[in-house]
Amino acid sequence: MRTLHKFHGGVHPPQHKAESNGLPIAPAPLPKRVIVPLRQHIGAPAKAQVKVGDHVLKGQMIGAADGYISAAVHAPTSGTVSAIDLHAVPHPSGLPDLCITIEADGEDRWIERQRIDYKTAVPDAVRHALRDAGIVGLGGAVFPSYVKLNPGQQAKIKTLVLNGAECEPWITSDDMLMRERAAEIVEGIRIMAHLMQPDEVLIGIEDNKPEAITAMQSACQGTSFEVVAVPTLYPGGGEKQLIQVLTGKEVPSGQRPINIGVICSNTATAYTVHRAINHGEPVISRVVTVTGNVQKPQNFEALIGTPISEIVRQAGDTSHYIMGGPMMGFDLTNLNVPLTKAINCVIAASPALFPPKPAAMPCIRCGQCAQVCPCNLQPQELYWFSQSRNFDKARAYNLFDCIECGCCSYVCPSHIPLVSFYRFAKSEIVMQDREKIAADQAKERFEFKKQREEREKQEKAARMAEKAAAATAAKAAAAASGEMEDPEAAAKKAAIQAAVERAKAKKAEAAALSPSPHPSPVEGEGAKNTEPT
Amino acid sequence: MLTAILVMVLLAVVLGAVLGFASIKFKIEGNPMVEKIEATLPQTQCGQCGFAGCKPYAEAVASGQAAPNLCVPGGDNVAKSLAELLGVEFQPVGGAEGAGPKPKMVAFIDENTCIGCTACIKVCPVDAIVGSSKLMHTILINQCTGCELCVPACPVDCITMEPVKTDLAAWKWRYPVFELKKAA
C-alpha cells in the first residue's frame, strides 16, 4: 500500500455526482451544422487549411498547428465548409473568435485513417502525430500534449501521473470514461509511458469513484501501472495537488511539474492518445457531462463543434448555464456556442440548485480562506491588494501561484467573490507586462531611428564634402594640365557640337527655302543639348 | 590645547578624504530621476507634451522645466505617478476636468487613397510604416504606438486612427462589481 500525502487546505463541497453517473455514455445525435473554433488550446490558434465551399471528410485536418505551442483542429463530420468567420465561442468574455462552420452532409464519412506503430516509430514522429491529431490536455487547461510529452533537455522523468481525480462537483465525464473504456485508456497510457520512459506510472482516482477504480485496476492487470485511490477532497484533482498527494513532492512556486521530474496528464487525454495513435482518429469528439436542471442528466459523447443548445435539453426554470463545474467554471453568455475540447461539463442552473449568493460584506480578516488555500497563499492579502489595484504587491504575494480553485470564495463568510478579484488582477498584470514590453520596444525603435537619422545626416555631409573636394581637385587638375579631358567627355562634346552645326545648317537651309518668321524647334533642342549635362 | 587642535585637524583631514573618495567611487552617472520618469512614460514618442519624444520630456520634468501633467497618452494615471515621484501635487492632464488614458489607437492607411509620398514614413518615430516612393504604404500595427504624428503629415488625408479591437488574446477580466451590504 502506497503512503499518501496531504496538500494544504481543501474543502468538501456537495458532490452532486450521482445525478449524471447513473446512465452510460450516450452518443449525441449528429448535428446539422458544426462550428469548429480554431483556438481550442493554449498557445497560437490553428491556421485554417480549407476555404469556403471545400468539401471535407470526417477527421480531415482543417486547421494546422501554427508554431510550437499549438495543436491542429479537424472536421468532426463530413460536409461542406460554409463559413470561416467570427462566431460566438464559450469564453467568459462572450467575445467571438475565428471558427470554421461545416454544414454536415449526413454521411459522416471518414477520411483514410493511418495508425502508427509507436513501438517502432521514432518518438518525434509519434509526437508530431499527436500534434497533428490535435491532442490537448482534456482536464481543462487544453495544453498541447505533444509539448508536454517532450521532456527535451530536462532530467529523467521519474513519475507519470494520470489524473482521474475529477474533484470538481457535478462533473462525471472522466468517471464514466474510466468505467466504460478503461482498457483503451490504459493503451493510451502505454503510449505515453513509451514516450517518456518514467520509473513509475500512477493513476490517481478519488475514492468517491469505486467503479472507476475497479475498472481501471482490472485494465491495469499485467502492467506496472498502479491505480491509487486518493481521498476525496477538493481540489485534489489540481495537477500540483494530485502530484503532492501521490508523491509527497511539492512543485516549487512558479515552476512546472517537469521541474521535479513529474508529468501529469488527464485520463481522458490518454484515451484520445490511444485513439490517435492506434486508430488514426484525431480529437473530433469528447465526453461531456450534461447535468443540473435538465430532463435527463447524463454524459454524452458529442462531436466538437456541436452547438451546446443541441446537447442540453433543459427543464423549466433554468436561469443560466455554467460551463465546467460550479467551483471553477464560468457562466455561458449564450447557448449558441460550440462544444470545444475544453468543455467537460455543462450545468443548467436553476435558482433552486444554485441560489444566488448573498450580497458581499466587508472582509473581516478571519483567515478562513488562508486555511483552505491549497497553494499555501494568503487570499485575504491578495484580495486586499487586488481590490486596491496594488498589483506589484499582489504579484509579490505570489498571485500567479493561485490556481483559481475557488476554495477561498467557497468558505468566505462575507461571500466576497475572491477569485474574481484574482482573475482581474492577473489579467491586469499580464496586460501591464505586455504594455511594458511594447513600450520598451517603441523606445528602442525610436532611439534607433534617431541614431539612423543622425548617421544619414553625417554620411550625407561626408558625401557632399567629398564631392566638393573632388570637384575642386578636378578643376585644379584641369587647370594644370590644360585641355587634358577624358576621351568620353571630349567625344560627347564633339557630338553635341556636330549636332549644333547640323541644326544651324538645317536652319539656314530652311530660311533660304521659305523665309517664315517662326523659329524652328530644332534650334531649341540644339540649344538644350549644348547645356552641360 | 595643541593636541586638541591637532586631533581635530587630523579628524577633519581623514573624514574629508573618506568623503572625497566616496564621492568619486560612488558617483552616479546621469540623473537617476530621468530614468525613473522615463520608465513611467508610455513611450509613444508622440510629442504631444511639446518635447521631441519621451526622453526629452523626462529630462525636462526632472529639471523642473516642464509640468508632470503634459503626457496625453498616459493620462491621469501617468500624471499621478509622476507627481508622486516628484513629490508635487497632482494636477489632472489637460485642465481641471482631467483625462483618463486614451483608448489604445493605431493608425490605418486607406491604401486606395495613398499616393506613396513617404511623408508619413519620415515622421513615424518608431519606423512602424513600411512602403516606398510611389508605392503603397502600410502600418505595422504591432509596432504602432498610436502617436498620431503621421495623421497631419499625410497630404491626401488617407490616415485615420482606429481603436484597437479587443480579441480573446487581449481580453481582461473586469473589476468585480458587487454591492457591499450596509452595516446596520
Side-chain angles (χ1 to χ4, degrees), chain B residues 140-151:
Chain B
L140 305 174
I141 53 166
N142 287 339
Q143 311 297 345
C144 178
T145 61
C147 68
E148 302 183 16
L149 286 178
C150 52
V151 177

Side-chain angles (χ1 to χ4, degrees), chain B residues 108-116 135-138 154 156-159:
Chain B
F108 174 76
I109 294 181
D110 177 9
E111 293 168 350
N112 293 322
T113 320
C114 174
I115 54 168
L135 292 170
M136 186 186 74
H137 302 344
T138 198
C154 180
V156 291
D157 288 338
C158 71
I159 305 181

Side-chain angles (χ1 to χ4, degrees), chain A residues 166-327:
Chain A
E166 199 164 57
C167 57
E168 177 107 17
W170 292 94
I171 309 176
T172 56
S173 62
D174 289 352
D175 181 11
M176 294 311 293
L177 196 74
M178 285 189 285
R179 286 193 208 183
E180 296 186 12
R181 300 177 196 177
E184 294 181 279
I185 293 173
V186 172
E187 282 308 311
I189 300 172
R190 262 190 238 273
I191 299 169
M192 290 174 150
H194 179 79
L195 283 177
M196 307 308 298
Q197 300 292 334
D199 294 337
E200 55 175 357
V201 177
L202 305 176
I203 305 164
I205 306 173
E206 278 195 347
D207 56 14
N208 62 354
K209 291 181 261 299
E211 296 92 340
I213 294 172
T214 324
M216 289 298 287
Q217 266 167 346
S218 59
C220 285
Q221 257 162 23
T223 68
S224 60
F225 309 157
E226 188 182 340
V227 179
V228 186
V230 297
T232 302
L233 176 64
Y234 182 84
E239 181 178 64
K240 294 176 178 178
Q241 283 68 35
L242 185 65
I243 289 171
Q244 197 174 353
V245 168
L246 290 176
T247 66
K249 283 186 275 192
E250 196 175 344
V251 180
S253 166
Q255 292 191 18
R256 288 179 298 138
I258 187 118
N259 298 102
I260 55 165
V262 181
I263 291 237
C264 182
S265 194
N266 191 270
T267 46
T269 315
Y271 173 74
T272 57
V273 167
H274 159 71
R275 294 307 299 181
I277 300 299
N278 292 336
H279 296 274
E281 291 176 9
V283 185
I284 53 162
S285 66
R286 71 156 297 147
V287 178
V288 54
T289 307
V290 178
T291 185
N293 192 31
V294 290
Q295 285 160 5
K296 203 163 68 174
Q298 196 177 2
N299 281 282
F300 291 96
E301 179 157 25
L303 293 180
I304 302 294
T306 309
I308 299 285
S309 53
E310 292 195 20
I311 311 172
V312 183
R313 287 191 181 73
Q314 76 283 10
D317 58 336
T318 300
S319 52
H320 61 286
Y321 298 89
I322 302 168
M323 191 200 118
M327 299 293 280

Side-chain angles (χ1 to χ4, degrees), chain B residues 5-182:
Chain B
I5 291 171
L6 275 178
V7 165
M8 292 312 287
V9 166
L10 198 73
L11 258 177
V13 166
V14 168
L15 291 176
V18 167
L19 279 176
F21 173 75
S23 74
I24 294 162
K25 173 86 184 168
F26 304 112
K27 189 170 179 169
I28 295 168
E29 291 292 336
N31 190 345
M33 204 55 161
V34 174
E35 271 166 40
K36 274 189 198 160
I37 294 171
E38 208 195 350
T40 319
L41 295 172
Q43 303 296 336
T44 49
Q45 318 294 353
C46 64
Q48 290 181 61
C49 50
F51 293 87
C54 294
K55 191 157 191 190
Y57 177 56
E59 279 161 1
V61 172
S63 60
Q65 284 163 351
N69 64 339
L70 299 180
C71 180
V72 178
D76 283 348
N77 285 356
V78 166
K80 231 174 238 170
S81 31
L82 284 188
E84 211 168 281
L85 208 60
L86 296 165
V88 297
E89 204 177 321
F90 160 68
Q91 304 273 345
V93 176
E97 73 273 24
K102 273 195 182 171
K104 171 113 172 78
M105 310 272 266
V106 288
F108 174 76
I109 294 181
D110 177 9
E111 293 168 350
N112 293 322
T113 320
C114 174
I115 54 168
C117 68
T118 72
C120 55
I121 294 180
K122 287 185 192 122
V123 295
C124 179
V126 290
D127 285 334
I129 307 178
V130 286
S132 187
S133 181
K134 290 188 185 151
L135 292 170
M136 186 186 74
H137 302 344
T138 198
I139 307 269
L140 305 174
I141 53 166
N142 287 339
Q143 311 297 345
C144 178
T145 61
C147 68
E148 302 183 16
L149 286 178
C150 52
V151 177
C154 180
V156 291
D157 288 338
C158 71
I159 305 181
T160 47
M161 298 305 292
E162 305 277 328
V164 179
K165 280 194 191 114
T166 321
D167 66 345
L168 286 189
W171 177 75
K172 290 194 286 189
W173 285 89
R174 271 189 313 194
Y175 190 83
V177 180
F178 62 94
E179 301 237 323
L180 281 177
K181 219 187 211 172
K182 269 200 188 121

Side-chain angles (χ1 to χ4, degrees), chain A residues 141-153:
Chain A
V142 280
F143 185 79
S145 298
Y146 91 102
V147 181
K148 205 184 224 180
L149 294 174
N150 186 3
Q153 302 302 315

